[in-house]
Amino acid sequence: MLPSDYGPEDIEFWIEPPLLLSIQSDVRRLLDEGVDSQVLNLVRELRRIIEGKGLIKGINSSARAFNAYAIDSSYPTPPLELIGGVMTVLSYGYVGYLNGSYDRYMTGEVVFEDVGEFERVITRRAQVRERELAIKLLREKARGRKEVDLVILDGEIPIHPLPYNLPVEGGVLAHVTKVIGDLLNLAVKTGTPIIGVVKRVRSRLLSVLTNECLPMNDKLIASLVLNNGEYMVLGNYGEVMPQWVRVNYGDCELRKRCGGKNAGCNDIKELMSRRLSEGLANIERVFSGSVHPGLGMLSRVQVVFYKPRNGAPAVKLEVFNPSDKVSIDELVAYLESQTTDTGYPFLLDRVDEYVRLDPRILDYVRNLIIKGSRDLNPALLTMLQLTNPQKAYLVRRLEA
């Protein structure tokens, strides 16, 4: 039933009654489903397995100090939909915390593409730019111009399709191979750990612990299995990825495509068998470093989960630690000691704030283009028109 005493200050006042009823119905359904006993039993079993393997460790309460740099990027959403394509502004930069003081840098570029999957294009562009910035930092370190003890990335260390496959030679993603290879080579040369803090976790790598497809993502499972102040190292890519590919094609995909029924699923099983063989061969090509020697070091990237003492959910890390001068224990202790109420190390919070852009910058850039064109022809003017003027309020031009 609708509330009888709601007023203009309540959100229910502004929602159409049929929509409000549908929302309330779905909320009730989600509450009724909840977390069933089977999931809780699974969590207890996973805890037993992890303890039996000796994977769980307590996070050291005393943390070593590091001169750390965090790198992030940002772009306004939604992008500006113009008749001639999709436009946005990509900013990227770093924030370093060095001996009690900050070192900051930010730059960016205008991205204008006439493509259907713009989100994929801009995401990959951002990932490449972040890693190119990490390379720049490590080169500065190699020349003795910066003190960099470790580099923190927002997200995974590799860029898709790595580490599962190599980008097509000569294709649009071929540059990814060189960027990741150069980053890992410089990390080894300078003895600098690279840490990827993964926020959007949809992986199910913890399935390798049971050799069965787990029904929940790694972040949720780690949050339920680990106690506050604990961490675990699942293993390195060289160990985990082949196991995961076997579980994925031997169980996860079969459940998804066959609905748990073996009968009448032979064609799918044959397809998954081929995919498994191809997947293992592709991973071996990446880890062998046959195309770029630096890529072979991806097999040494460690998959780590820790649960902060402040009660936040578990955090997934990818750690490339090329030096014996610092241990995984010390790196995890440092990150945990810096974890804020957002659930992530404070340097990631700082760099996120630093590179964040106001969406209204998009209309500002559009107007710069128009004003900067002395001989504005009708075709260019048409190209710069909004595809959907009804959404113009989202990017109202910044006042001068």
Side-chain angles (χ1 to χ4, degrees), residues 145-357:
R145 297 175 181 171
K146 282 191 182 294
E147 294 182 49
V148 184
D149 292 336
L150 66 95
V151 174
I152 304 170
L153 298 175
D154 184 353
E156 295 89 349
I157 292 175
I159 301 173
H160 184 77
L162 295 171
Y164 297 96
N165 202 351
L166 288 166
V168 177
E169 189 174 351
V172 294
L173 296 181
H175 185 55
V176 166
T177 300
K178 184 177 186 306
V179 168
I180 299 301
D182 288 352
L183 174 61
L184 298 180
N185 275 329
L186 273 167
V188 170
K189 179 181 177 181
T190 59
T192 310
I194 307 292
I195 300 177
V197 179
V198 189
K199 293 180 179 177
R200 299 170 184 85
V201 180
R202 291 294 176 263
S203 62
R204 283 174 164 75
L205 298 181
L206 290 171
S207 298
V208 305
L209 294 171
T210 62
N211 289 317
E212 292 182 349
C213 191
L214 296 179
M216 301 173 289
N217 67 63
D218 289 335
K219 188 178 183 76
L220 177 56
I221 290 179
S223 298
L224 296 173
V225 170
L226 293 176
N227 296 320
N228 296 108
E230 292 182 339
Y231 82 99
M232 62 171 286
V233 180
L234 181 62
N236 61 45
Y237 271 168
E239 301 163 342
V240 172
M241 286 303 172
Q243 295 180 62
W244 160 243
V245 169
R246 291 187 179 94
V247 173
N248 184 43
Y249 290 123
D251 190 14
C252 296
E253 289 296 324
L254 290 180
R255 294 190 190 195
K256 185 189 304 180
R257 296 167 184 253
C258 299
K261 300 176 182 178
N262 288 323
C265 205
N266 289 335
D267 290 345
I268 298 297
K269 288 181 178 179
E270 291 178 8
L271 174 61
M272 292 303 105
S273 179
R274 291 197 302 273
R275 292 272 177 85
L276 172 58
S277 298
E278 293 168 357
L280 291 174
N282 288 336
I283 288 175
E284 176 57 29
R285 287 177 64 222
V286 176
F287 291 164
S288 70
S290 57
V291 175
H292 194 298
L295 293 184
M297 289 182 284
L298 278 174
S299 64
R300 295 162 53 185
V301 171
Q302 300 276 337
V303 180
V304 181
F305 300 90
Y306 77 88
K307 191 168 182 180
R309 292 184 177 85
N310 64 7
V315 180
K316 179 183 177 183
L317 305 176
E318 292 185 351
V319 181
F320 180 68
N321 186 24
S323 172
D324 58 4
K325 295 179 181 179
V326 58
S327 67
I328 294 290
D329 289 350
E330 290 174 312
L331 293 173
V332 172
Y334 169 76
L335 293 173
E336 193 277 335
S337 70
Q338 304 294 328
T339 299
T340 69
D341 56 1
T342 66
Y344 302 103
F346 89 102
L347 266 185
L348 279 181
D349 293 342
R350 299 292 81 76
V351 73
D352 177 83
E353 296 169 357
Y354 184 52
V355 301
R356 194 178 302 164
L357 295 176

